[in-house]
Amino acid sequence: MKSILTPLGPKADKDTVRRHNLSLVLRAVRDEGESGEATRAGVAARVGLTRAAVSSLVEQLMDSGFLTESGKTFSGQAGRPGTALKVARTGPAGLGVEINIDYVSVCVVDLAGTGRVRQTEHLDNRGAPAGEVLARAAAIAARTLDSAREQELRPVGVALALPGLVSGGAVRQAPNLGWNEVPAQDLFGDALTALRPGRPVLPVASENEANLAALAELWFGGLGDVRSFLYLTGEIGVGGALVLNGELLRGAHGFAGEIGHVVVDPDGPECRCGSRGCLEQYAGQSALLRAAGVDGPGAGGGSGVLELERRARAGDVRAVAAVAEAGRMLGRVVSGAVNLVDPDAVVLGGIYRGLMPWLSPPADEELTGRVVSGLWSPGSGRLRASSVAGDAARGAAALVVQDVLDDPVAYAEPSGG
Amino acid sequence: MKSILTPLGPKADKDTVRRHNLSLVLRAVRDEGESGEATRAGVAARVGLTRAAVSSLVEQLMDSGFLTESGKTFSGQAGRPGTALKVARTGPAGLGVEINIDYVSVCVVDLAGTGRVRQTEHLDNRGAPAGEVLARAAAIAARTLDSAREQELRPVGVALALPGLVSGGAVRQAPNLGWNEVPAQDLFGDALTALRPGRPVLPVASENEANLAALAELWFGGLGDVRSFLYLTGEIGVGGALVLNGELLRGAHGFAGEIGHVVVDPDGPECRCGSRGCLEQYAGQSALLRAAGVDGPGAGGGSGVLELERRARAGDVRAVAAVAEAGRMLGRVVSGAVNLVDPDAVVLGGIYRGLMPWLSPPADEELTGRVVSGLWSPGSGRLRASSVAGDAARGAAALVVQDVLDDPVAYAEPSGG
């Protein structure tokens, strides 16, 4: 699955230009639709093409099932009546599959970015071989695809969100899953294809889960003017991602954002990554629960993290102290990252969301003391919890949709299909 | 001084398009000139415009003094003879002024990027008020402008390279100079204007010195394929900058790259920035000389750093141990930065250049142990000394030249000037 269209160079031919313009018009309808009604005239003004050109492009996008008319018309305009346009709620869509340590979550997102189907299963993926985990995920994905079909949605590709170092379609290292050099894309793709005999083979992409959760935050998190942020997600480990000027930083090898393995104490406990004293050893879920003395779900049921939240809320001294210490370590490491990249905001997701009341004050205190420039002050709002609207599975599905929006022609329904 | 042209939107008018094309052609001649001869036909092919359009643009650029013909012609081509083009060695240029703790260095760079005039003076800028330091720098700049004029170079603007947090034309904080909220651009500009009665007033820009040194490294350092790197410069403090995908990361407030204030030991010595245990306290020049027991220039003369190098080369145990310890601390902090942004390379400049034989092995060892993915290995070449070709003053001057290349019309010689 290609992610970025070849830029339009001087030698762009007519076909390339038309495809580019189809993408412009489709995106314009989607964006206009968010704030009101999209009309051909409005789209023409927005993208700087003539009304006639836009009408022709809209016609092709309607024929291919990307756009529909809402039925509402506007009077008083010259030429063809100003019928409101919107992106189709059916047709091309994206499938996102998050495989994490203790759950698999699958999501279908439509062209407008709306999550339409969601299936989540809690599983212990640490105990099973990689091939088995990926086959289980494929089975959940296959069921989700059936549900999508009932809604007349047609996912055109799959993106996998994986908790580790991902490059070239493989998981190079995912210490918390115990994976090394696992060709996840191929294993998942083969399993999914085997489960859907006679159906089109779906292209599969893959990406680090924190990267995709950060993109979901960017696209759906209501961040307002924030275009650059550091994202940390507390899971079994600590995932991280950097979004700079609205773009995900992937890094030279695709491994950027690994803030969980920034050293806190050079002589600290061994980390699964091979180093010592990484942030993960102080602020990861296992470390946090251990320090708080939480062994499991507790009397109230639910996960260990919910039990930790319950105890902190009840004022349990050990629980509150454990979360505060994790907050201090987070703040210390994040202050270094803020000094290095000077982001607009730092967003905490995963298990940190629910722990913010106890985590955030000591983290803010470290940041206030250690960020240069005196620009960090407690309560500045630069340290914030992630939105519930975004997660890695939705980010993955939306990444597939981005590809459709970039070049709709490539994803038009095969004739007779 | 504006740094980036308004992007060409749909409403770009003819004048904007022509100015944009003049920039394209000027840059093309400059780039072609590096690898051989630039001809009108070659430039036309490179930028995707017709030969006729390029000839007209070239004529305007020659009339305005940006391009010249080398006199060499190529036969066998249709139409006007294929005369080789090159960027002018006279005319518009950039002036860069680096004000550091113990020196001021001023540099003039021509359109081709070549450093043409350089004046450096060693001064103790810590002892003097900011206004006085800037007035001294202006006096050196004025003399440098006289030298440039003798070479028929016409600097069209000045960029200041300053060792601190710079934004909006002011130094917000430069702990090692003792500056706080110093309106450096205005103070320097006024002083320079007063020294040059009757001459045109030059616009003044300002930027963090490590950022400009990193840009100089990018443009002149022979980095090859390296497009993303972390740059650290050892001065009295430790400066830093991040170049990602060929672009300097400025950050939300212009303060990115402050790796000197990433914490090494939360309970370590107080830092001038207000925090404790910053990298600067372990790997800055003062800390390094103190740990090595070097009080001053030593018997051989030269700076304290040269004396430290001399002792390390002679096998002085204390000197070698001090540099090695600084290398370990550098490696520890840099490993965190590498985990966060995954750059192609880490470049060490300033005092670190000469100390590489003793600094680099322990730094590499820390990096090897702490960078995730096992991709960091000693001797991989990802840790390297900066080139001698680039420095902050040249970077500053070249930044001014970038503005000229972006919109030559704006910098054409005033008629009769």
Side-chain angles (χ1 to χ4, degrees):
Chain A
M1 197 183 315
K2 72 175 179 313
S3 278
I4 294 166
L5 254 182
T6 313
L8 284 177
K11 285 175 195 285
D13 62 21
K14 251 185 161 170
D15 184 51
T16 315
V17 172
R18 188 169 177 92
R19 287 171 82 148
H20 177 71
N21 286 340
L22 284 165
S23 168
L24 278 183
V25 167
L26 180 55
R27 282 187 184 275
V29 171
R30 200 179 77 136
D31 296 347
E32 293 257 307
E34 278 178 11
S35 51
E37 300 286 351
T39 62
R40 288 170 179 79
V43 168
R46 191 180 183 110
V47 302
L49 293 168
T50 66
R51 172 80 196 268
V54 167
S55 287
S56 155
L57 295 161
V58 164
E59 195 169 345
Q60 183 175 346
L61 288 167
M62 287 178 59
D63 286 349
S64 314
F66 293 98
L67 292 182
T68 59
E69 287 180 324
S70 71
K72 200 166 164 187
T73 58
F74 302 92
S75 56
Q77 299 198 346
R80 193 167 166 177
T83 316
L85 299 166
K86 53 182 192 178
V87 290
R89 276 183 60 83
T90 57
L95 185 77
V97 178
E98 178 184 3
I99 299 173
N100 223 311
I101 317 301
D102 47 2
Y103 63 89
V104 170
S105 191
V106 180
C107 172
V108 176
V109 160
D110 65 19
L111 284 180
T114 310
R116 296 283 296 278
V117 185
R118 167 77 69 163
Q119 296 203 16
T120 302
E121 294 194 12
H122 292 271
L123 303 161
D124 186 358
N125 291 326
R126 271 178 295 197
E132 200 173 298
V133 171
L134 288 157
R136 278 184 208 159
I140 304 171
R143 288 196 291 279
T144 308
L145 286 168
D146 290 341
S147 306
R149 212 174 163 188
E150 283 167 23
Q151 295 199 37
E152 293 178 65
L153 287 162
R154 179 172 57 82
V156 299
V158 187
L160 303 179
L162 299 158
L165 301 173
V166 180
S167 73
V171 175
R172 298 297 162 200
Q173 204 182 70
N176 290 313
L177 279 172
W179 292 13
N180 276 298
E181 302 298 335
V182 171
Q185 261 177 228
D186 286 351
L187 290 172
F188 178 92
D190 291 350
L192 185 62
T193 303
L195 288 166
R196 306 170 72 235
R199 303 284 308 152
V201 173
L202 293 179
V204 183
S206 53
E207 180 59 84
N208 170 272
E209 56 101 10
N211 283 355
L212 291 167
L215 284 177
E217 192 68 26
L218 175 70
W219 292 328
F220 311 117
L223 285 173
D225 288 340
V226 170
R227 302 291 292 158
S228 296
F229 61 97
L230 172 64
Y231 182 86
L232 281 89
T233 171
E235 309 285 343
I236 300 293
V238 177
L242 263 177
V243 173
L244 299 174
N245 305 317
E247 301 270 350
L248 179 69
L249 180 75
R250 287 200 160 81
H253 309 89
F255 298 163
E258 288 295 330
I259 197 164
H261 298 286
V262 172
V263 64
V264 168
D265 177 356
D267 306 313
E270 270 186 42
C271 182
R272 287 183 178 233
C273 77
S275 180
R276 305 190 76 96
C278 297
L279 176 61
E280 193 160 304
Q281 296 304 313
Y282 302 86
Q285 182 177 313
S286 307
L288 200 45
L289 295 182
R290 204 182 318 115
V294 176
D295 296 326
S303 72
V305 174
L306 289 178
E307 172 63 14
L308 175 60
E309 276 182 46
R310 196 190 60 72
R311 288 192 197 178
R313 206 172 298 115
D316 178 289
V317 175
R318 192 171 169 192
V320 169
V323 179
E325 181 64 6
R328 258 187 297 280
M329 297 302 148
L330 271 176
R332 198 165 292 168
V333 167
V334 167
S335 70
V338 169
N339 284 336
L340 195 62
V341 301
D342 185 18
D344 295 306
V346 176
V347 179
L348 300 181
I351 66 167
Y352 299 141
R353 267 190 58 77
L355 296 172
M356 284 301 268
W358 310 280
L359 193 73
S360 151
D364 240 351
E365 194 182 317
E366 283 285 326
L367 282 155
T368 303
R370 299 196 184 277
V371 168
V372 292
S373 84
L375 265 187
W376 195 285
S377 48
S380 65
R382 287 178 75 189
L383 183 69
R384 54 169 85 187
S386 69
S387 151
V388 284
D391 66 79
R394 187 173 177 197
L399 194 65
V400 174
V401 170
Q402 290 294 323
D403 267 14
V404 178
L405 297 173
D406 279 346
D407 189 14
V409 170
Y411 297 96
E413 189 152 20
S415 51
Chain B
M1 199 183 314
K2 74 176 177 311
S3 277
I4 294 164
L5 255 182
T6 314
L8 285 177
K11 284 174 196 283
D13 62 22
K14 250 184 163 171
D15 183 52
T16 314
V17 172
R18 187 168 177 93
R19 289 172 80 146
H20 178 70
N21 286 339
L22 285 165
S23 168
L24 278 182
V25 167
L26 180 56
R27 282 187 184 277
V29 171
R30 200 180 76 135
D31 296 347
E32 292 257 306
E34 279 178 11
S35 51
E37 300 285 352
T39 62
R40 288 170 179 78
V43 168
R46 191 180 183 113
V47 302
L49 294 168
T50 65
R51 172 81 196 268
V54 168
S55 288
S56 155
L57 295 162
V58 163
E59 195 168 345
Q60 183 174 344
L61 288 167
M62 286 177 59
D63 287 348
S64 312
F66 294 98
L67 293 183
T68 58
E69 287 181 326
S70 69
K72 202 167 162 185
T73 58
F74 301 91
S75 56
Q77 299 197 348
R80 192 167 167 175
T83 316
L85 298 166
K86 54 182 191 178
V87 290
R89 276 182 61 83
T90 58
L95 184 79
V97 178
E98 178 184 1
I99 298 173
N100 224 310
I101 317 302
D102 48 1
Y103 64 89
V104 170
S105 192
V106 180
C107 173
V108 175
V109 160
D110 66 18
L111 285 180
T114 310
R116 297 282 296 279
V117 186
R118 167 77 71 164
Q119 297 202 15
T120 301
E121 295 193 13
H122 291 273
L123 304 161
D124 185 359
N125 291 325
R126 270 179 295 198
E132 200 174 299
V133 171
L134 288 158
R136 279 186 208 159
I140 304 170
R143 288 195 291 279
T144 309
L145 285 169
D146 290 340
S147 307
R149 212 173 161 189
E150 282 165 24
Q151 296 198 38
E152 293 179 63
L153 286 162
R154 180 171 56 82
V156 299
V158 188
L160 302 179
L162 299 158
L165 301 172
V166 180
S167 75
V171 175
R172 299 297 162 202
Q173 205 181 68
N176 290 313
L177 279 174
W179 292 13
N180 275 299
E181 302 296 337
V182 171
Q185 259 176 229
D186 286 349
L187 290 173
F188 178 92
D190 291 348
L192 185 62
T193 302
L195 288 166
R196 306 170 73 234
R199 303 284 310 152
V201 174
L202 293 179
V204 183
S206 54
E207 180 61 84
N208 172 272
E209 57 100 10
N211 282 355
L212 291 167
L215 284 176
E217 192 68 26
L218 175 71
W219 291 329
F220 311 117
L223 285 172
D225 288 340
V226 169
R227 302 290 294 158
S228 296
F229 60 96
L230 173 64
Y231 182 86
L232 280 89
T233 172
E235 308 285 343
I236 299 292
V238 177
L242 264 176
V243 173
L244 299 173
N245 304 315
E247 301 269 353
L248 178 69
L249 180 75
R250 286 199 161 82
H253 309 89
F255 300 161
E258 289 294 330
I259 197 164
H261 299 285
V262 172
V263 65
V264 168
D265 177 354
D267 306 314
E270 269 187 43
C271 183
R272 286 181 180 236
C273 77
S275 181
R276 305 190 76 96
C278 297
L279 176 61
E280 193 160 301
Q281 297 303 315
Y282 302 88
Q285 183 178 311
S286 308
L288 200 45
L289 295 183
R290 204 182 318 117
V294 176
D295 295 328
S303 74
V305 174
L306 290 178
E307 172 63 15
L308 175 60
E309 274 182 47
R310 198 190 58 73
R311 290 193 196 177
R313 207 173 296 115
D316 177 289
V317 175
R318 192 169 168 194
V320 169
V323 180
E325 180 65 6
R328 258 187 296 281
M329 297 304 149
L330 272 176
R332 197 166 290 167
V333 167
V334 168
S335 71
V338 169
N339 284 337
L340 195 62
V341 302
D342 186 16
D344 295 306
V346 175
V347 178
L348 300 181
I351 66 167
Y352 299 141
R353 270 189 56 78
L355 297 171
M356 284 301 269
W358 309 279
L359 193 74
S360 149
D364 239 351
E365 194 182 318
E366 282 285 325
L367 282 155
T368 304
R370 300 194 184 278
V371 169
V372 293
S373 83
L375 265 188
W376 195 285
S377 47
S380 64
R382 287 178 74 190
L383 183 68
R384 54 169 85 187
S386 69
S387 149
V388 283
D391 66 78
R394 188 173 178 196
L399 194 65
V400 174
V401 170
Q402 289 294 321
D403 266 15
V404 179
L405 297 173
D406 279 347
D407 188 14
V409 170
Y411 297 96
E413 189 152 20
S415 50

